[in-house]
Amino acid sequence: MVAAIVLLAEAVGIVLINWFFGHAVHRQNMSLGGVDSDTMSNTTYAMGGVFGFYLAVCGVVLLLAGVRDRAPGRFGRIVLITCAVTHGVLGALTVGLVGWVAFAFMMVVLALIVLVLLMYAPRLPAEPADGEPVEAPPGNGTPPEPAAA
């Protein structure tokens, strides 16, 4: 549940930050490399919306896994794995660009996602208790004879 709340809050934060950056670029009325400021501000708005939606979907997948107390399905696991990889890459980039506090935040979110993925990992069959009969593997326990050439 904590991971879901953090990702949903991060989604809102990403949308607000990109809205602020898009608004600032639009108000400057300058071009960068010949690109119009309206184009830059609109793509910043779009990027913030798409990335915020992606993080919100990841948060909803985590929320559903927590409420149901079972592993997410194949699509949910894929979404969470891509979200973990994204946070790892962005964490590496934020060290130089933003600082260690942002890096620490990204690594905490990464750790929460990986924790959820590992908590709901498929389990191996349980070991038989003492005294229970154990089925013998097929064959007599000797390695097979090599085939004649």
Side-chain angles (χ1 to χ4, degrees), residues 5-27:
I5 293 169
V6 169
L7 275 179
L8 291 172
E10 185 180 5
V12 170
I14 288 293
V15 169
L16 290 176
I17 287 172
N18 278 290
W19 176 81
F20 173 75
F21 285 156
H23 189 67
V25 167
H26 182 73
R27 300 275 299 191

Side-chain angles (χ1 to χ4, degrees), residues 114-139:
V114 170
L115 178 68
V116 169
L117 286 170
L118 291 177
M119 277 179 32
Y120 293 114
R123 291 187 170 78
L124 298 174
E127 294 288 327
D130 290 338
E132 290 184 19
V134 179
E135 288 186 30

Side-chain angles (χ1 to χ4, degrees), residues 24-89:
V25 167
H26 182 73
R27 300 275 299 191
Q28 285 184 358
N29 205 12
M30 298 173 15
S31 70
L32 180 65
V35 179
D36 187 32
S37 66
D38 290 335
T39 304
M40 290 189 297
S41 65
N42 290 336
T43 54
T44 303
Y45 294 144
M47 182 183 72
V50 169
F51 196 55
F53 178 74
Y54 170 70
L55 290 174
V57 167
C58 295
V60 168
V61 168
L62 287 172
L63 186 65
L64 289 175
V67 167
R68 294 177 180 166
D69 195 27
R70 63 172 221 226
R74 181 177 295 180
F75 174 75
R77 289 187 72 79
I78 291 170
V79 167
L80 292 179
I81 290 169
T82 60
C83 190
V85 170
T86 302
H87 277 83
V89 171

